[in-house]
Amino acid sequence: MTSAAIALDAVSKHYETPAGLVRAVDEITLDVQAGSSLAITGSSGCGKSTLLGLIGGLEVPTAGHVTVGDQQISSLPEQERARLRRDELGFVFQADNLQPFLTALENIGLQLALKGSRNGYGRARELLDELGLEAHADKLPDQLSGGQRQRVAIARALVHRPRLILADEPTGSLDEDNSHAIVDLLLTAQRAAGGATLVVVTHDPAVAARLGRTVRLRDGRVEHA
Amino acid sequence: MRAPALVRVQELSKTYREAGSEAQVLRGASFELARGETTSLIGVSGSGKTTLMSLLAGLMRPESGSISFDGRALGELDDAERARLRARRIGVVLQSGNLIPFLTAAENVELAIELGGGGKRPRARARQLLGEVGLAERADHEPRRMSGGEAQRVSVAMALANEPDLLLADEVTGQLDSTNADRVMEVIFGAWRDRGLTVLFVTHNAELAARAQRRLRLHDGEVVAA
């Protein structure tokens, strides 16, 4: 039996703007199998980042339902949604959003600190080693290259072993070599023991091609699945 | 009589070197921040304001000169000691919020509390701090559901999380309209009044700069009275 890690049921996100109604996401229905990987592509403004935000519970749909695992994230109270995100989801964005005053190690460990784990840094160090960044553990983000910073951001997303990894243009500001390495890391995490589901928003066909399946959006709708 | 200085900066120099070119942004900058005073710092872009803030926050080392904080020379601290000082006694707010996008406002503030050593009831304190910056209602919202001004107020709450002695604010209203900019500055001035903080803020805005008790200008790598 396969179970869906993500189920979107006629999900829409509409905004009222001075210029009229914007249908950022328009009645999307989509299942993503647990343990699989999916690319969401499309030109800029097609709604792909909004869709990822809806899956991760960063945004609430105007209509429809989003289910992650066995929980309908779109109708959870805010604090429950925050807990689900913190415990079970891992996020990576184009900008690394690292805390500039914290070292690489501290940035990775902070997710665990929030969960009240006093000794999260052991696991954080382990990940730094796996990512080949052990020599950089005590450096500030400013002292790292773009590719190194993004690897730290990925370690931060993985440190609590999430079952769903959501990445929004994770290679958007990197060159080809770094980009390839970042996708390697995401795929390794997806296939690691226990397995995770991976969803990547990308405008880069080379990145999309490496994932199990691609969904292309246009004007907030699925163009071809 | 003036209170003794909390921060004493002496003859600070910093040069950026890149393949074949050199830019000396600070050349012997000296000044003091008096305890409990608000100080503004203006200067044209590229004049080294942000460099100076990074040095004060202990994020960067000067090539010469010294900074002392409450009588302790930053240059004599190792990385871990500097990090501890920053986490517990210095609050920093930057131009664009450094909020973690997948955490709520309350979680972001709670994180700042945890990083400073935790203390009692971090969750309740995070909410109390958000109330102080006028965002009690927004505690469970994610940064992307907030306006830029609200996100900046969350950043101020984070900077205040560990009861710092010094608040450094680097162009924190640079990307806001005047209404939102005013609210952010009100929150900073309010914290100064209520907590007896020492505040240094960098701004492009002359009107804002004039609201500080002491006004400095960074000019040709030196700090002078504005």
Side-chain angles (χ1 to χ4, degrees):
Chain A
M1 192 184 92
T2 55
S3 58
I6 304 166
L8 303 178
D9 177 18
V11 172
S12 295
K13 180 76 182 181
H14 296 170
Y15 299 95
E16 205 62 71
T17 71
L21 188 70
V22 174
R23 298 170 197 273
V25 166
D26 204 20
E27 289 192 39
I28 289 185
T29 294
L30 179 71
D31 279 355
V32 184
Q33 297 308 306
S36 71
S37 64
L38 171 74
I40 302 175
T41 64
S43 54
S44 101
C46 71
K48 53 191 192 297
S49 288
T50 304
L51 186 62
L52 197 79
L54 288 164
I55 295 171
L58 293 171
E59 300 196 31
V60 181
T62 322
H65 303 288
V66 181
T67 307
V68 169
D70 52 9
Q71 286 190 286
Q72 205 175 84
I73 193 168
S74 55
S75 50
L76 288 177
E78 280 165 343
Q79 292 194 29
E80 276 297 296
R81 213 162 64 218
R83 190 208 54 76
L84 177 69
R85 243 188 346 250
R86 194 168 64 215
D87 294 351
E88 300 183 28
L89 309 189
F91 290 89
V92 184
F93 294 91
Q94 175 169 4
D96 50 62
N97 300 111
L98 298 179
Q99 296 289 295
F101 320 124
L102 301 181
T103 64
L105 183 70
E106 289 170 330
N107 265 290
I108 296 169
L110 52 80
Q111 183 101 350
L112 294 173
L114 247 194
K115 289 175 73 175
S117 153
R118 283 274 157 219
N119 199 10
Y121 290 122
R123 164 80 176 141
R125 264 194 201 283
E126 209 177 281
L127 267 173
L128 273 173
D129 289 353
E130 278 172 35
L131 301 181
L133 291 171
E134 59 275 20
H136 302 295
D138 298 319
K139 288 195 179 157
L140 294 167
D142 242 16
Q143 299 167 309
L144 302 174
S145 70
Q148 288 168 338
R149 279 202 301 273
Q150 194 60 306
R151 275 186 280 162
V152 171
I154 287 182
R156 180 182 64 181
L158 301 179
V159 72
H160 57 304
R161 298 189 170 89
R163 60 188 168 113
L164 174 57
I165 304 163
L166 301 174
D168 192 353
E169 298 284 7
T171 63
S173 35
L174 301 178
D175 62 30
E176 204 177 315
D177 286 349
N178 272 307
S179 167
H180 199 87
I182 290 298
V183 178
D184 280 345
L185 281 177
L186 290 170
L187 288 171
T188 305
Q190 179 235 333
R191 290 167 192 152
T197 308
L198 172 66
V199 180
V200 180
V201 161
T202 181
H203 68 276
D204 183 349
V207 171
R210 299 187 60 201
L211 302 181
R213 181 182 157 207
T214 297
V215 162
R216 195 176 166 79
L217 300 190
R218 188 187 179 127
D219 296 333
R221 289 173 166 265
V222 175
E223 191 174 70
H224 113 110
Chain B
M1 204 181 89
R2 283 164 62 100
L6 176 67
V7 177
R8 190 163 282 150
V9 173
Q10 283 169 313
E11 294 292 319
L12 214 53
S13 293
K14 180 79 189 176
T15 303
Y16 290 102
R17 295 188 173 80
E18 264 180 55
S21 76
E22 266 192 16
Q24 187 172 18
V25 291
L26 296 176
R27 48 187 103 213
S30 299
F31 63 97
E32 290 184 353
L33 299 178
R35 211 175 283 270
E37 256 187 18
T38 55
T39 303
S40 60
L41 177 69
I42 58 174
V44 295
S45 40
S47 62
K49 301 187 295 293
T50 293
T51 300
L52 188 56
M53 291 298 242
S54 298
L55 289 164
L56 287 171
L59 291 170
M60 200 187 260
R61 285 172 187 274
E63 62 196 43
S64 65
S66 69
I67 300 171
S68 79
F69 180 90
D70 207 5
R72 300 170 76 192
L74 289 191
E76 286 165 16
L77 304 179
D78 64 25
D79 287 349
E81 288 169 325
R82 269 208 315 279
R84 201 154 45 232
L85 182 74
R86 197 160 55 230
R88 297 191 182 157
R89 302 198 58 190
I90 303 177
V92 187
V93 189
L94 302 175
Q95 175 160 17
S96 52
N98 282 276
L99 303 186
I100 297 183
F102 47 83
L103 300 180
T104 63
E107 287 175 325
N108 269 287
V109 178
E110 203 184 319
L111 192 59
I113 295 171
E114 294 284 358
L115 292 168
K120 287 187 187 139
R121 305 176 60 235
R123 192 150 300 177
R125 287 202 44 235
R127 286 178 186 271
Q128 186 194 330
L129 279 159
L130 286 170
E132 200 177 315
V133 299
L135 292 173
E137 308 290 304
R138 303 292 251 155
D140 295 315
H141 288 193
E142 299 79 18
R144 72 157 90 180
R145 293 164 68 201
M146 295 183 196
S147 71
E150 287 171 334
Q152 279 302 63
R153 283 189 277 151
V154 177
S155 300
V156 174
M158 289 173 75
L160 297 174
N162 298 299
E163 310 287 339
D165 302 282
L166 173 64
L167 182 69
L168 300 173
D170 189 3
E171 291 282 7
V172 295
T173 60
Q175 295 174 353
L176 304 178
D177 62 36
S178 65
T179 310
N180 273 303
D182 282 348
R183 289 207 68 180
V184 171
M185 288 313 293
E186 279 321 310
V187 162
I188 289 176
F189 280 112
W192 164 71
R193 265 194 314 271
D194 297 344
R195 295 161 176 264
L197 282 176
T198 303
V199 177
L200 173 65
F201 64 94
V202 163
T203 181
H204 268 106
N205 182 327
E207 212 173 298
L208 214 56
R211 294 180 58 189
Q213 291 162 303
R214 222 163 134 243
R215 295 169 288 281
L216 301 176
R217 173 191 300 276
L218 192 52
H219 181 71
D220 282 342
E222 291 183 41
V223 173
V224 295

